[in-house]
Amino acid sequence: MYQVNLNLDNLPAIRYMQKDGFFLRWIGYPVGIKVQDVYYVFNHLKFTVSVHKYEHSSVAGVIGTGDGADLITLSPEEKTTNDGYVVVGFEVVPCSVNHDSNSLKNVTRYGKYPSSIKCDPVSVGMSVKEGKTVSYTYEVSFVTSDIKWPSRWDAYLKMEGAKVHWFSIFNSLMVITFLAGIVLVIFLRTIRRDLARYEELNKEAKAQMNEESSGWKLVVSDVFRSPNNPELLCIMVADGCRILVMWVALIFFAALGFMSPASRGTLLTGMLVFYVLLGVVAGYIAVWLLLTLANGERRGWFSISWRVACFFPGISFVILTTINSLLWGSHSTGAIPFTMFLVLILLWFGISVPLTLIGGFMATKAPYLEYPVRTNQIPREIPSQRFPSWLMVLGAGTLPFGTLFIELFFIMSSLWLGRAYYIFGFLFVVLILLVTVCAEVSLVLTYMHLCIEDWRWWWKSFFASGSVALYIFLYSINYLVFDLKSLSGPVSAMLYVGYSLFMVIAVMLATGAVGFLTSFFFVHRLFSSVKID
């Protein structure tokens, strides 16, 4: 499953093949193939380069993207004698050919092969044996095409399996509708109870109301009791909001075409730029939330801002350094250069940290959210439950996971199987649906905990939606075992687990922040609007 990726004028080599009655497109080609315990290498490449006549009126001013060079503009004298062509397609057919070693003795490197080569992609001939020389050859044919320069990426971005994506969205909408019904019932019940206070009640109604005065109303003096490790909670929620806003902005601009696969590297660059600039948001949310939890005490804003600036970037830096050390030790060309590490550290401490501190300072001037009820000094005893409440919290992550697991398969395939991912429009819709489901799941679970007189809802609301990361990690392990069977060696497995862990932590922070903030504003609104004797 080792892949060779070639680029010509910023176009990746594309390979067409028929399999089980389906027409498939692949980016690049495999190094070789295993047939009956014998390894064969693809040592002959048949290139087909599609070209389109240079159209001066429509192509003038167009430049190459990514690492492509600017289009060469011809002089007036050359235009009259030579029209020129632009590359609009790059196809490769890999073959395994057993070259005649005797005929290659007098052929220099990049020299012409003495005889014609029959390239048959369904047969193999060049077996890999110790001490055996492997010669690589290629042939190129240029064909004119009606495809114009702006449309040359259509073959790569032709959507396959659109029905699968629509099924994923429909499945997510069903989950959202189900949860929205539960949320609507909750709000109708609370509103009905609140209005009952101001209506004329007969004896039966009063008796019924006294029976209903239980559950979440009994924890009114404890519901806003400060959680365990409040500063860590503020840091994780702030970093989660930062990651979520980064995702929304990044996928939105990618869906509009500003970060297409034609511009290699722009997606990663955009992610870094958005994350660094959104340090203001993270610092502001962390300090504002800490002020709210501390009832307006404005001490410690610098400390919390500094820790927000170093929390997730610090975890990412440790994971990245470990992965890169493994690559350096394996002498891999995929290792990040040391100078790039210096650039990342400069972005971190030179831009991200100052912006986070600025955001935290701005939050000290902003009004915090005051609690609508007072908290008793002595905490209320929580009734014993038949089942641990954390089982409900961990199980809640299955609903958000159900909204994204189909899209997750395509993302994993693009990361690890060399396939191009380009359906950012679908991804943006799935992201919005994921945020909605996380908010609804956390709200419902928080209400259920309050109804059983469990006032420790802070961390549980965070992990109710954040537990989707656990199922994503389990799915990534399943993907490693069943879809990446040929991944060999402990270094490769550790690289996979490291990158998966990086992704899982980011998802946990983002989804957990959504769930916590939804539950926080719900609880505040609930105890603000309901009059309790």
Side-chain angles (χ1 to χ4, degrees):
M1 293 299 292
Y2 278 93
Q3 291 283 122
V4 179
N5 294 309
L6 302 173
N7 288 276
L8 176 66
D9 193 27
N10 204 35
L11 279 182
I14 191 170
R15 180 167 56 99
Y16 300 99
M17 60 180 297
Q18 291 275 355
K19 186 176 181 181
D20 299 332
F22 292 97
F23 187 69
L24 303 177
R25 296 174 175 83
W26 295 85
I27 303 298
Y29 67 93
V31 171
I33 190 172
K34 183 180 180 182
V35 180
Q36 297 179 353
D37 296 331
V38 179
Y39 291 95
Y40 295 89
V41 66
F42 291 120
N43 61 331
H44 180 76
L45 304 177
K46 183 179 180 180
F47 296 119
T48 302
V49 181
S50 301
V51 294
H52 185 76
K53 183 174 289 189
Y54 187 87
E55 299 178 3
H56 311 295
S57 58
S58 61
V59 188
V62 177
I63 61 173
T65 54
D67 58 354
D70 295 354
L71 287 179
I72 301 174
T73 56
L74 303 176
S75 62
E77 295 79 9
E78 290 174 320
K79 288 180 180 179
T80 58
T81 58
N82 184 12
D83 285 334
Y85 293 87
V86 290
V87 177
V88 295
F90 184 35
E91 181 184 352
V92 61
V93 177
C95 301
S96 179
V97 179
N98 190 7
H99 293 302
D100 185 5
S101 58
N102 295 325
S103 61
L104 290 175
K105 290 182 178 179
N106 299 324
V107 179
T108 60
R109 191 177 184 183
Y110 302 123
K112 190 175 181 180
Y113 195 75
S115 59
S116 62
I117 300 175
K118 183 181 179 181
C119 183
D120 187 5
V122 298
S123 62
V124 291
M126 189 61 205
S127 60
V128 180
K129 296 180 181 179
E130 186 176 357
K132 186 177 181 179
T133 302
V134 180
S135 300
Y136 287 87
T137 56
Y138 69 94
E139 57 180 295
V140 187
S141 59
F142 293 87
V143 296
T144 57
S145 174
D146 295 332
I147 300 174
K148 296 184 179 181
W149 172 272
S151 304
R152 67 178 193 155
W153 274 87
D154 289 356
Y156 301 86
L157 306 185
K158 185 176 178 59
M159 193 184 326
E160 302 288 350
K163 292 182 180 180
V164 177
H165 297 281
W166 283 117
F167 172 78
S168 173
I169 292 176
F170 178 75
N171 177 55
S172 304
L173 289 175
M174 293 296 292
V175 174
I176 288 176
T177 305
F178 171 73
L179 291 174
I182 299 178
V183 172
L184 186 62
V185 170
I186 290 174
F187 277 112
L188 287 178
R189 290 185 63 188
T190 56
I191 293 172
R192 182 176 61 84
R193 290 178 179 180
D194 190 28
L195 294 177
R197 295 286 183 181
Y198 302 98
E199 296 177 354
E200 293 183 0
L201 303 176
N202 53 31
K203 293 183 179 180
E204 294 180 359
K206 288 183 178 180
Q208 181 181 2
M209 191 181 74
N210 289 333
E211 291 177 359
E212 291 178 349
S213 294
S214 60
W216 60 270
K217 290 184 180 181
L218 297 179
V219 297
V220 59
S221 299
D222 298 274
V223 69
F224 291 109
R225 188 176 301 280
S226 182
N228 297 327
N229 300 316
E231 293 185 350
L232 178 61
L233 180 61
C234 296
I235 292 171
M236 295 177 70
V237 171
D239 251 327
C241 293
R242 183 186 197 178
I243 295 170
L244 181 64
V245 175
M246 177 197 70
W247 283 350
V248 172
L250 189 70
I251 298 174
F252 176 75
F253 283 107
L256 293 179
F258 291 103
M259 299 176 182
S260 69
S263 304
R264 290 185 296 143
T266 54
L267 200 65
L268 184 60
T269 303
M271 183 180 69
L272 288 173
V273 170
F274 279 127
Y275 185 83
V276 167
L277 296 180
L278 288 171
V280 177
V281 175
Y284 186 93
I285 293 176
V287 174
W288 176 84
L289 191 57
L290 186 64
L291 290 176
T292 302
L293 296 180
N295 291 320
E297 187 176 350
R298 300 183 182 275
R299 291 183 300 175
W301 71 269
F302 184 85
S303 174
I304 195 75
S305 301
W306 174 259
R307 279 183 278 178
V308 167
C310 298
F311 180 70
F312 182 70
I315 295 174
S316 306
F317 192 77
V318 170
I319 295 175
L320 191 63
T321 304
T322 304
I323 291 175
N324 219 48
S325 299
L326 294 173
L327 292 174
W328 277 335
S330 303
H331 305 287
S332 171
T333 56
I336 300 175
F338 181 73
T339 54
M340 182 58 66
F341 261 96
L342 296 180
V343 171
L344 293 176
I345 294 175
L346 183 63
L347 287 174
W348 182 7
F349 290 100
I351 302 179
S352 179
V353 171
L355 288 178
T356 308
L357 295 176
I358 291 173
F361 178 75
M362 292 169 58
T364 60
K365 308 298 180 182
Y368 64 93
L369 195 63
E370 297 183 5
Y371 294 149
V373 294
R374 290 179 298 178
T375 303
N376 290 339
Q377 292 184 351
I378 302 176
R380 177 185 178 86
E381 184 179 356
I382 300 174
S384 58
Q385 305 298 327
R386 182 178 301 179
F387 302 104
S389 58
W390 280 102
L391 290 179
M392 243 185 341
V393 171
L394 294 177
T398 56
L399 292 174
F401 179 74
T403 65
L404 60 81
F405 79 96
I406 294 179
E407 210 64 35
L408 185 63
F409 170 77
F410 289 96
I411 294 174
M412 299 287 280
S413 298
S414 67
L415 288 175
W416 301 107
L417 296 180
R419 300 172 185 172
Y421 189 87
Y422 49 85
I423 40 177
F424 294 105
F426 277 116
L427 185 60
F428 186 75
V429 174
V430 170
L431 179 62
I432 299 301
L433 297 179
L434 175 65
V435 170
T436 306
V437 172
C438 287
E440 292 177 344
V441 163
S442 183
L443 190 150
V444 171
L445 209 69
T446 299
Y447 182 77
M448 292 173 63
H449 277 97
L450 295 180
C451 285
I452 59 177
E453 302 176 30
D454 187 354
W455 45 265
R456 297 172 302 184
W457 60 272
W458 303 88
W459 282 104
K460 292 176 183 177
S461 66
F462 182 91
F463 287 110
S465 54
S467 60
V468 65
L470 172 64
Y471 297 96
I472 293 178
F473 185 74
L474 294 177
Y475 178 83
S476 64
I477 299 299
N478 173 80
Y479 191 86
L480 171 64
V481 174
F482 294 102
D483 292 277
L484 298 178
K485 297 179 181 178
S486 58
L487 192 66
S488 60
V491 175
S492 299
M494 290 179 68
L495 290 177
Y496 177 86
V497 173
Y499 282 120
S500 299
L501 191 63
F502 174 80
M503 176 180 66
V504 163
I505 294 174
V507 171
M508 181 196 69
L509 293 176
T511 55
V514 171
F516 171 81
L517 292 177
T518 304
S519 296
F520 178 72
F521 288 115
F522 165 71
V523 172
H524 188 276
R525 178 65 178 172
L526 177 65
F527 286 90
S528 298
S529 59
V530 178
K531 306 299 181 182
I532 301 177
D533 295 335

